[in-house]
Structures are given as structure tokens and as C-alpha cells.
Amino acid sequence: MKKGLSVVLRATLAAALLNGAALAETTKTSNYAEHPEAGAVIEALGERGFDKDRVRSLLADAKRQESILEAIARPAEKSLTWAQYRRIFLTDSRVEQGVAFAREHADTLARAEQEYDVPREVILAIIGVETSYGRNKGSYRVLDALATLGFDYPPRASFFRKQLVALFEMERDAHIDASTITGSYAGAMGFPQFIPTSYQAYAVDFDGDDVIDLVNSPADAIGSVASYFAAHKWQPGLPVAARARVDGDDYAALVKKGYKPSFTLAQARKNGVVAVSCEGDSLSSDYCFDLPANTSVAMLDLIGDDGHEFWLVSDNFYVITRYNHSELYAMAVLQLSHRIADALEAQSL
């Protein structure tokens, strides 16, 4: 009886595997214009005055990219420790590139800093982390990336279909060829890697040529990063983060609250957590602050080269995470910005 059942199970499993393989192969080679969710995209654009045949043709041309599905399933921000992550972005070459970019675009950076109240080193760090100052803007066709994720990545499919609609709108409004423009595996474009809806909402024409071009115009990229930070309520002069000392185990409850500030420095102190002071503190650090006790903060526990690193971070840290929702990303931007600022000061730039 058991042997017979085993044979049946094996046969059933084999059939299921064959059917699954056939279905997967069908999905991989399918025409996205015929996907069950494509009709809504086509109709939505048609209602906005777009040529539905053109949209349908582009969707039919979009190619599913397995490497995109693999990449989004294991982002570095979720698979690496801080020690591993920082080694990718906090390099001497990236600092040197940042200084060279700052020298070349000094006037534009100064204007962005003046108009948006966002420090030039933060703007530089964002562009440096995102694309190494334009050296790596992404090689995926954005159409393929957004179609793959919009139709074949259920966890965030609706979000990426929204980006796909925005891409078609940009073709009309921003003179972008939706059939050829390239970017990241998530469909982000240009020097600062804006996704289509961010491109629409925050990108600015900062070089005055009446075209917003984040792919070819460093000036537009600089202005647009500053615009993004200002729109997300960057607070000029507010320190981003300080190293922290902990006493006891009550700090763990604060770490669990996440990186959005939700308690005050006074409350942190009650839990045994104190920010490193900039005034002769025994724990020397480039990351320190002396802020009022009612300042809102969050707490991080990162695994660095020497083990646990405890941090208290402000609302400006949270603003950086609006660009990429990761505490590791925000910390990389912060520390790269510090290194660039030091290098610029050393060269009197």
C-alpha cells in the first residue's frame, strides 16, 4: 500500500514539476501587452490622451529579465551588515570622484545649496552612492525593468505598474524615449537615479534649457537632489547622527522602534542611551551632537568592523531614508558626505 502510494505521489509530483516548468517558460516568453493586468495600464494611458497602439506596442516589446527578479529578491541593504555595506561605498576613489565633481560643478552646487538649504556634501554623497557621479547609471532598459516588476513581481507589482504609467507620461512630458532609456534594475534613471514618479514630482530644470534631463545634465541632477531633500523637509543645521553610549539593556526597546525618530533625547537617556558630545567627550568621534533634550531621535544598532555600533539619529537621517528606505544606505550617504566635506575643506574648495 505504501509502495503504491509512493508511486502515485512520485507521478503526481513529476507531472506538477513538468506543468510548472511549462508554465514558467510560457510566462518568461509571454507578450506583456497580453498580460491580464496590462489592459488597465493601456486604458489608463488612453484616458490621458496617449496612443493606445503605441503603448501596446511598447509593452509587447518589453522583455522579462530574470536577473532583475533575482536582484530585487536580495537587495544589498537587506543582506549585508554595515561593515560589509560601508566597504562598497566608503572608498578613497569615491571621495576623490566627489571632489572632482564638486570642483567641476562648484557654481551649480553653491546655487543649489543657497536655493534649497541642502549642504553640497549631501548632494554629492547621494550622486556618489547612486551612480559614482554618472559612471554607473544602470544598463537595464527601464521599460524591461518596470514591465518585469510590474507584471511578474507580485509583492510590489502595483507600485511598479504605477512607475510604468509614469514612464510613458515622461516620454510625452520630458522628451524621454521609453523604448530605449536605461537605468537600474528597479527602473531608476540618471545621475541621481530617480524612479519615474520621483522624476515627475521632484526633478527640476536647473540648467535653464527648458528640459529636465537627469540622464545627461549634471546641473539638473544637482538641483533635483536638492529639490527632493527640501520637499522631504530637510532641516538646515540639524546634525544627522551621533555615536551613542549605552548603559544596560533597555536600549534594545528603542532600537526596535526603527529609524524614524519617535522619542526624545531625554527618553533615550532614561533608557541608558546618551549621544556622544562634541564638547570634550571621552569617546572621541566625528559624529557627535549636543542638542536639546526634547529633540526627536531614533536609535540604531549596526554591526561594524569592531562589532556593535550604537547611534542616535535625527529627523535629517530619516529624510535621507526617503531616498532609499534603508538605514545602511542613509549611513553610507552620511559618512561619505563627511569624508567629502573634509576633503573639500582640505583643498580649500
Side-chain angles (χ1 to χ4, degrees), residues 274-323:
V274 180
V276 170
S277 171
C278 300
E279 301 295 332
D281 197 292
S282 59
L283 177 57
S284 177
S285 174
D286 290 336
Y287 302 95
C288 59
F289 55 56
D290 296 279
L291 296 171
N294 63 351
T295 302
S296 292
V297 293
M299 185 175 181
L300 310 181
D301 178 5
L302 305 180
I303 305 301
D305 291 323
D306 299 319
H308 291 272
E309 292 182 10
F310 300 109
W311 295 81
L312 285 170
V313 300
S314 73
D315 284 320
N316 275 352
F317 185 90
Y318 184 70
V319 172
I320 300 175
T321 68
R322 299 308 84 202
Y323 210 97

Side-chain angles (χ1 to χ4, degrees), residues 44-342:
L45 287 165
E47 291 174 1
R48 300 177 196 185
F50 287 82
D51 181 344
K52 291 197 288 187
D53 288 337
R54 161 75 173 162
V55 175
R56 192 175 289 107
S57 175
L58 285 172
L59 289 178
D61 185 52
K63 304 294 189 298
R64 171 180 164 128
Q65 300 290 343
E66 291 297 330
S67 57
I68 288 175
L69 295 171
E70 293 169 3
I72 202 166
R74 48 175 177 75
E77 288 82 3
K78 293 184 178 179
S79 60
L80 302 180
T81 66
W82 167 235
Q84 295 166 327
Y85 191 86
R86 71 185 302 277
R87 283 193 284 271
I88 298 173
F89 299 106
L90 299 177
T91 63
D92 291 341
S93 63
R94 206 173 298 248
V95 175
E96 292 164 3
Q97 291 166 6
V99 170
F101 191 84
R103 185 182 293 111
E104 183 178 358
H105 304 288
D107 291 343
T108 303
L109 284 161
R111 182 160 56 92
E113 193 168 19
Q114 181 178 13
E115 291 188 19
Y116 292 103
D117 261 340
V118 179
R120 62 175 178 169
E121 61 267 21
V122 172
I123 300 170
L124 289 164
I126 288 288
I127 298 174
V129 168
E130 290 294 342
T131 62
S132 291
Y133 306 97
R135 289 170 175 81
N136 182 19
K137 298 174 187 172
S139 58
Y140 287 104
R141 193 168 62 148
V142 174
L143 176 66
D144 293 341
L146 297 180
T148 297
L149 296 172
F151 297 120
D152 284 330
Y153 184 62
R156 299 189 68 195
S158 61
F159 171 82
F160 285 108
R161 286 198 296 274
K162 181 179 179 181
Q163 301 306 317
L164 188 59
V165 168
L167 175 67
F168 288 122
E169 291 176 336
M170 286 170 57
E171 184 174 52
R172 179 187 64 189
D173 302 333
H175 309 289
I176 285 174
D177 186 344
S179 68
T180 61
I181 189 170
T182 57
S184 75
Y185 72 80
M189 297 165 281
F191 281 88
Q193 293 290 277
F194 274 24
I195 57 174
T197 52
S198 291
Y199 207 120
Q200 291 177 315
Y202 308 111
V204 297
D205 171 23
F206 212 58
D207 60 12
D209 66 354
D210 295 325
V211 176
I212 299 174
D213 183 0
L214 302 186
V215 177
N216 302 297
S217 171
D220 285 358
I222 289 167
S224 297
V225 171
S227 165
Y228 190 99
F229 271 68
H232 286 82
K233 301 182 180 179
W234 176 268
Q235 298 178 46
L238 176 66
V240 176
R243 291 293 299 270
R245 295 192 304 273
V246 302
D247 182 16
D249 298 325
D250 289 344
Y251 75 88
L254 301 181
V255 173
K256 289 180 181 179
K257 292 178 180 291
Y259 54 70
K260 183 176 183 179
S262 60
F263 53 88
T264 66
L265 283 172
Q267 291 169 321
R269 183 179 288 275
K270 289 181 179 179
N271 281 55
V273 182
V274 180
V276 170
S277 171
C278 300
E279 301 295 332
D281 197 292
S282 59
L283 177 57
S284 177
S285 174
D286 290 336
Y287 302 95
C288 59
F289 55 56
D290 296 279
L291 296 171
N294 63 351
T295 302
S296 292
V297 293
M299 185 175 181
L300 310 181
D301 178 5
L302 305 180
I303 305 301
D305 291 323
D306 299 319
H308 291 272
E309 292 182 10
F310 300 109
W311 295 81
L312 285 170
V313 300
S314 73
D315 284 320
N316 275 352
F317 185 90
Y318 184 70
V319 172
I320 300 175
T321 68
R322 299 308 84 202
Y323 210 97
N324 181 316
H325 296 185
S326 162
E327 61 189 28
L328 299 186
Y329 175 89
M331 189 58 70
V333 168
L334 169 63
Q335 296 199 10
L336 181 59
S337 75
H338 274 232
R339 289 190 58 181
I340 290 172
D342 288 344

